[in-house]
């Protein structure tokens, strides 16, 4: 009874214990094996399982024979429908690939394969730490040697209410992107606000106004600020930029802003040394005063009072010489070119076209224009090919090559090979946005000089022979940045075709789908015109693809 009622287990069987020990040894050996050996064993086991399980049910030879018999019974109509469908589907894929490449600059199939399929097949493995550290150091070195794609405020940006809005009313197209307007909102907050705004109710209202996305809400807030303080300069600035529908109205608002801004600026000068808060307020009031004077000079330029505009710009540059980063000299260059005061233009270039100062399309192409002016009237490519280039012509061609290397997008707009749009409020130097902004204002100056565009047309493409790999090595400037296309697509409106440099080659899948579509369409046409011959051709292909060892089946298939 005691034995039958006990719950303890008896000693294990000696054979079972030996089997367990052998299994444990095999498991440890497998765990200690190399990864490639385990992978090889897994592949071998999978192939063996596939052969053992599917060999009998599938009967591959019989299946191939059945497929051959099925193909022999198909009619020409089936082959015609098959080729037409294949051509239609491959054509749709080709059109979609082409659209995706034109819009985003990449192949959709390649993008999907890299981002989704490659991780599944083990292509996206983690890099070793040493490689990662080397790459980081190499990237840091390249960042030090190459300038980043920095977005700049457009020195010649238009007025929202008087120019951008009127364009939208006429065409129904939005000339500014959300990204561009968001950058402007950040600029306004940096220029026109400071920490002491909370002490003045009108400035507190304007601080909220610059953050508003709705234009009507911003205008309403500006009027509220003027009710609290009739001398609120930033409120007049906002109304001049966004509510005024003509340049004349904008100039009236800016004159009121100038009167209020000068008064506030003098007060800030008297007490700026009292505390850091007063210094910040002086910087803000200085920004407001410089912005207002510059916009007043631009209003005078647009209204035809060019000499007055030139004087205002010169006075502004003398009064605030440390604010050269605002690029007021580019406004001055454009106004002087309109006056055809080329000696004054050369004097401005002598000061700002310096190796230590940042370049721009306005600097480089204006320098090229002045040198082209000296020889363009008598320049002829036929004569130059016979007698060679003179020293002045060589200097002009080198200046054009220098300008084209800095921004290769400009010549197509100057030569009217591409249509212009309104320039954005921000530009990317060396990018398409800068080219649009430059050509929009300076095309007339190139047209005014006889032969300048002809000289540009004959020589600008020679630049690319000197820099065959512009993304890797430049000639006079840094290598061309590869990030311009992405930034320009954010700055320029969607209806504008962004210029890309260097031109990208068509992806493989566009060529493949185009060839597949053409081949399928040709087969469909041949099947429609010669149905019997195409059926015989299809049967012959099926015989070559699936050879049949049964003589009877082969004879039935052929006859």
């Amino acid at each position: 009874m005691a034995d039958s009622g006990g719950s303890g287990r008896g000693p294990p069987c000696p054979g079972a214990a030996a089997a367990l020990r052998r299994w444990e040894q095999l498991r440890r050996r497998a765990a200690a094996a190399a990864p490639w050996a385990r992978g090889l064993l897994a592949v071998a086991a999978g192939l063996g399982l596939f052969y053992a399980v599917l060999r009998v049910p599938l009967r591959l030879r019989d299946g191939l024979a059945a497929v051959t018999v099925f193909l022999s019974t198909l009619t020409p109509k089936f082959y015609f429908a098959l080729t037409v469908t294949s051509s239609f589907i491959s054509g749709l894929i080709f059109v979609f690939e082409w659209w995706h490449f034109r819009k985003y600059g990449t192949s959709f199939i390649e993008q999907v394969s890299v981002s989704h399929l490659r991780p599944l097949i083990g292509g996206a493995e983690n890099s070793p730490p040493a490689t990662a550290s080397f790459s980081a150091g190499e990237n840091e070195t390249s960042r030090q040697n190459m300038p980043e794609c920095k977005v700049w405020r457009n020195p010649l940006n238009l007025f929202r209410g008087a120019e951008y809005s009127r364009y939208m009313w006429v065409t129904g197209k939005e000339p500014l992107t959300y990204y561009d307007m968001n950058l402007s909102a950040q600029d306004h907050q940096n220029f026109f606000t400071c920490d002491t705004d909370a002490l003045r109710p009108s400035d507190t209202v304007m601080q909220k106004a610059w953050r508003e996305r709705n234009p009507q809400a911003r205008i309403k807030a500006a009027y509220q600020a003027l009710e609290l303080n009739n001398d609120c300069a930033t409120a007049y600035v906002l109304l001049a930029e966004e509510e005024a529908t003509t340049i004349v109205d904008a100039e009236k608002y800016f004159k009121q802003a100038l009167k209020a801004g000068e008064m506030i600026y003098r007060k800030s000068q008297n007490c700026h040394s009292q505390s850091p808060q007063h210094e910040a307020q002086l910087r803000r009031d200085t920004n407001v005063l410089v912005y207002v004077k510059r916009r007043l000079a631009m209003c005078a330029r647009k209204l035809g009072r060019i000499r007055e505009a030139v004087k205002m710009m010169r006075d502004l540059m003398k009064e605030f010489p440390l604010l050269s980063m605002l690029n007021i000299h580019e406004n001055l260059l454009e106004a002087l070119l309109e006056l055809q005061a080329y000696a004054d233009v050369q004097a401005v270039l002598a000061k700002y076209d310096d190796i230590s100062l940042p370049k721009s399309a306005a600097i480089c192409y204006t320098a090229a224009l002045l040198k082209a002016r000296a020889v363009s009237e008598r320049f002829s490519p036929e004569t130059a090919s016979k007698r060679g280039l003179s020293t002045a012509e060589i200097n002009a061609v080198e200046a054009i090559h220098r300008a084209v290397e800095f921004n290769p997008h400009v010549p197509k707009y100057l030569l009217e090979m591409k249509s212009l749009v309104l320039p954005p409020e921000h530009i990317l130097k060396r990018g398409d946005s800068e080219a649009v902004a430059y050509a929009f204002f300076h095309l007339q100056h190139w047209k005014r000089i006889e032969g300048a565009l002809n000289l540009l047309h004959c020589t600008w493409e020679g630049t690319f022979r000197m820099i065959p790999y512009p993304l890797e090595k430049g000639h006079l400037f840094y290598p061309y940045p590869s990030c311009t296309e992405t930034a320009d697509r954010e700055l320029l409106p969607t209806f504008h075709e962004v210029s890309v440099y260097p031109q990208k080659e068509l992806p493989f899948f566009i060529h493949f789908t185009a060839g597949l579509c053409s081949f399928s369409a040709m087969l469909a046409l041949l099947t429609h015109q010669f149905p019997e011959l195409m059926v015989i051709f299809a049967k012959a292909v099926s015989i070559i693809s699936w050879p049949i060892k049964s003589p009877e089946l082969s004879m039935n298939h052929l006859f």
Side-chain angles (χ1 to χ4, degrees), residues 117-297:
L117 300 182
R118 187 177 178 183
L120 296 179
I121 61 177
E125 296 181 355
N126 295 329
S127 302
T131 305
S133 63
F134 174 78
S135 300
E138 186 177 1
N139 291 337
E140 183 65 28
T141 304
S142 64
R143 280 197 296 267
Q144 293 176 359
N145 295 333
M146 189 182 302
E148 297 180 357
C149 289
K150 180 181 178 181
V151 176
W152 298 72
R153 182 82 177 177
N154 184 4
L156 300 170
N157 65 307
L158 305 178
F159 294 86
R160 282 198 187 179
E163 292 173 309
Y164 287 120
S165 296
R166 291 176 63 185
Y167 176 85
M168 186 175 62
W169 296 337
V170 174
T171 63
K173 298 178 180 179
E174 180 60 61
L176 297 175
T177 63
Y178 175 77
Y179 176 71
D180 192 14
M181 292 188 289
N182 187 42
L183 291 176
S184 297
Q186 296 177 17
D187 291 341
H188 295 154
Q189 293 177 47
N190 293 331
F191 291 162
F192 305 143
T193 62
C194 65
D195 296 336
T196 61
D197 287 345
L199 303 177
R200 296 175 297 277
S202 59
D203 290 338
T204 303
V205 174
M206 288 306 302
Q207 196 173 42
K208 296 178 181 178
W210 296 121
R211 298 193 182 101
E212 286 286 347
R213 293 185 178 182
N214 188 359
Q216 298 302 322
R218 290 196 294 269
I219 294 173
K220 183 179 179 181
Y223 279 115
Q224 292 177 357
L226 289 176
E227 291 177 359
L228 296 172
N229 180 12
N230 194 39
D231 293 327
C232 183
T234 54
Y236 289 117
V237 169
L238 192 148
L239 294 177
E241 291 286 351
E242 303 201 19
E243 191 192 38
T245 56
T246 63
I247 301 298
V248 175
D249 295 338
E251 187 179 34
K252 292 179 181 178
Y253 280 122
F254 276 122
K255 286 182 177 179
Q256 292 177 288
L258 178 62
K259 182 179 178 181
E262 287 179 337
M263 181 178 61
I264 299 173
Y265 177 72
R266 285 192 294 268
K267 291 180 180 179
S268 299
Q269 275 187 318
N270 295 331
C271 58
H272 74 280
S273 59
Q274 296 180 4
S275 65
Q277 289 78 14
H278 287 89
E279 291 183 4
Q281 184 175 343
L282 177 62
R283 286 194 298 270
R284 193 280 306 271
D285 295 337
T286 304
N287 291 336
V288 173
L289 186 62
V290 172
Y291 185 90
V292 170
K293 288 187 174 182
R294 181 181 191 168
R295 295 304 260 179
L296 275 173

Side-chain angles (χ1 to χ4, degrees), residues 42 56 117-118 138 141 145 157 168 171 241 286 305 327 356 414 446 459 506 508-509 537 554:
V56 176
L117 300 182
R118 187 177 178 183
E138 186 177 1
T141 304
N145 295 333
N157 65 307
M168 186 175 62
T171 63
E241 291 286 351
T286 304
R305 305 194 306 271
N327 298 324
S356 61
L414 294 179
W446 281 81
T459 58
L506 290 178
F508 164 76
F509 285 102
F537 175 74
S554 300

Side-chain angles (χ1 to χ4, degrees), residues 20 53 102-103 121 128 135 137 205 222 282 326 341 356 394 403 416 446 467 473 491 542:
L20 287 175
V53 174
R102 298 290 292 179
K103 186 173 179 63
I121 61 177
S135 300
V205 174
L282 177 62
L326 298 178
S356 61
I394 292 176
E416 298 182 273
W446 281 81
I467 43 174
K473 184 180 180 180
L491 292 171
S542 65

Side-chain angles (χ1 to χ4, degrees), residues 545-559:
S545 302
W546 297 295
I548 307 302
K549 294 187 177 181
S550 175
E552 296 181 0
L553 188 57
S554 300
M555 296 298 292
N556 293 334
H557 177 65
L558 290 175
F559 301 99

